Amino acid sequence: MAIRRATQEEANHLIQLSGKVMKESSMGYAENSVQNAYNLFMPVIQNGGYFLIDIEQRKLRGWILLVTDLNPAKSQVMGNLLSVYVFPKYRKSGVARELTVAAINEFKALGIRTIQLNVFNGNPSRLLCENLGFKPISTVMELNIQ
């Protein structure tokens, strides 16, 4: 397992891939859309965010997008994990855990002590997050009015 920072070219490719897996990643909340992925993630990359990727034998197995941001509620800079994805073929092999631990270590090296992420209801990665020590702090609720 080789985890490293993605190049700019790879980051562009990862944004495209992210758009193709949005429906799965969001448990059906968002439709697949490369344009939406660019709208969501390109500003993050332009503001210093970056992908860590897991590559084994020249095959991409998964990625995680890291960004630091000022949390106004706590008046501190925090780490944020915005996109974590592992291709189905490599799931349950530790790729997601290794990527997340690598991201945690990146934030630690920057002196960041609080990391947040969003997990959609029903996403099995929630268990991994909880096993790594993440705790729920809020619930986003939505009402669709016809």
Side-chain angles (χ1 to χ4, degrees):
M1 197 176 307
I3 295 176
R4 66 170 173 78
R5 193 171 179 156
T7 65
Q8 185 62 49
E9 182 179 322
E10 289 168 332
N12 288 334
H13 181 65
L14 291 169
I15 292 173
Q16 289 179 16
L17 290 174
S18 295
K20 295 176 182 177
V21 299
M22 288 181 95
K23 188 168 188 171
E24 178 191 357
S25 298
S26 67
M27 303 306 296
Y29 181 79
E31 291 300 318
N32 289 340
S33 168
V34 172
Q35 186 60 52
N36 284 349
Y38 270 100
N39 294 343
L40 283 169
F41 301 133
M42 190 51 78
V44 171
I45 298 295
Q46 291 169 339
N47 287 320
Y50 59 95
F51 286 98
L52 292 179
I53 56 176
D54 179 301
I55 295 183
E56 186 171 82
Q57 297 177 352
R58 297 175 32 169
K59 293 194 184 211
L60 177 65
R61 300 187 330 160
W63 65 82
I64 190 166
L65 178 58
L66 295 72
V67 66
T68 57
D69 200 9
L70 177 65
N71 181 322
K74 293 187 108 180
S75 296
Q76 73 182 63
V77 175
M78 301 174 79
N80 239 306
L81 303 177
L82 297 183
S83 174
V84 180
Y85 189 80
V86 174
F87 288 103
K89 177 179 178 177
Y90 304 110
R91 292 182 186 159
K92 302 211 183 281
S93 66
V95 173
R97 173 177 284 281
E98 292 298 320
L99 282 165
T100 306
V101 168
I104 291 167
N105 290 332
E106 294 263 331
F107 288 132
K108 273 185 192 177
L110 294 172
I112 292 172
R113 298 292 175 244
T114 304
I115 303 167
Q116 293 183 342
L117 54 80
N118 180 52
V119 179
F120 283 89
N121 285 335
N123 192 321
S125 68
R126 182 182 190 113
L127 183 60
L128 166 66
C129 297
E130 289 172 352
N131 286 339
L132 289 171
F134 287 88
K135 306 275 186 238
I137 59 168
S138 72
T139 300
V140 175
M141 299 175 77
E142 181 175 273
L143 172 65
N144 290 315
I145 300 173
Q146 303 298 344

